[in-house]
Amino acid sequence: HVVRQQAVLEVLKPGATEETITYLGRLLVLLFAGDQAMEQLMLLPKEPFRMCCGNALCVHISHIALDPFGRLVDFGADRPALGAYPLYDLRHQSRGTKRRFCMSDFEVRAEGELEELVRRWESYVHPRAREYFADPESVRGVLRGILRGVDRRADPLLGSEDACVMWHGETCEG
């Protein structure tokens, strides 16, 4: 078993007094995955989710593998018919050119740009995550934390599936 650096974020969980280090892939699933995908992924061991691209520091939600064999999560399979969570449609609309960023290429988002993306992402947050965090500002704080660790030219939620989205934030061995 090879030990790799994993993307993590410190999150203040409900009822806790101290922040807890949380694997970013698990956090993305809590925030954005439909119920069926969430149920399947929560059956996996309590370790970082495997990324189908093989890159442990990729945080693109579309690269999260459903199982140890690398089958992808289909976040659109359990999207409500009324389109309350249009994540699947928007993710599949943008099929851009592959872009790879070196860790040294990191560009920080301006505060206004960060807040605009937080507002866009908020509409995709699953009710389960809103209920879990209870306070809307806590959800926004988690979204800000994710976006601060990602290059301003990349979007792990709505960006092209063709390229990895590299994590530039905290890491731990996993």
Side-chain angles (χ1 to χ4, degrees):
H1 175 342
V2 176
V3 176
R4 294 182 173 182
Q5 290 298 310
Q6 300 290 332
V8 296
L9 187 67
E10 289 188 29
V11 176
L12 185 60
K13 295 181 179 177
T17 56
E18 294 183 20
E19 291 183 326
T20 305
I21 293 176
T22 307
Y23 292 121
L24 202 61
R26 289 187 164 273
L27 193 55
L28 289 168
V29 166
L30 170 69
L31 289 164
F32 302 111
D35 293 333
Q36 184 180 3
M38 174 77 173
E39 288 171 18
Q40 289 178 299
L41 287 164
M42 289 302 109
L43 295 175
L44 297 176
K46 299 283 185 210
E47 47 193 48
F49 293 134
R50 186 177 178 284
M51 303 305 276
C52 66
C53 58
N55 189 334
L57 291 179
C58 173
V59 294
H60 200 303
I61 194 165
S62 295
H63 291 196
I64 296 173
L66 182 58
D67 59 30
F69 304 107
R71 289 187 292 254
L72 290 176
V73 174
D74 181 359
F75 288 99
D78 49 16
R79 181 178 55 106
L82 295 176
Y85 310 104
L87 172 64
Y88 185 80
D89 293 339
L90 285 177
R91 277 190 328 172
H92 290 81
Q93 285 174 9
S94 101
R95 294 249 186 231
T97 317
K98 287 190 181 187
R99 291 190 321 193
R100 303 277 181 205
F101 296 114
C102 298
M103 295 301 270
S104 60
D105 284 344
F106 182 70
E107 288 186 20
V108 178
R109 280 186 171 83
E111 204 58 33
E113 184 181 11
L114 179 94
E115 291 305 318
E116 175 59 31
L117 202 45
V118 165
R119 281 190 290 281
R120 284 186 61 206
W121 277 22
E122 274 186 294
S123 64
Y124 299 101
V125 173
H126 194 282
R128 159 191 63 244
R130 293 181 196 286
E131 184 177 311
Y132 177 78
F133 288 106
D135 173 24
E137 188 51 41
S138 295
V139 173
R140 285 189 289 274
V142 170
L143 297 178
R144 283 184 198 102
I146 295 169
L147 288 166
R148 283 188 176 111
V150 175
D151 187 281
R152 69 176 292 273
R153 299 164 291 183
D155 186 331
L157 179 63
L158 302 173
S160 170
E161 294 177 23
D162 296 332
C164 290
V165 174
M166 299 304 299
W167 180 246
H168 299 272
E170 277 189 78
T171 61
C172 73
E173 289 184 0

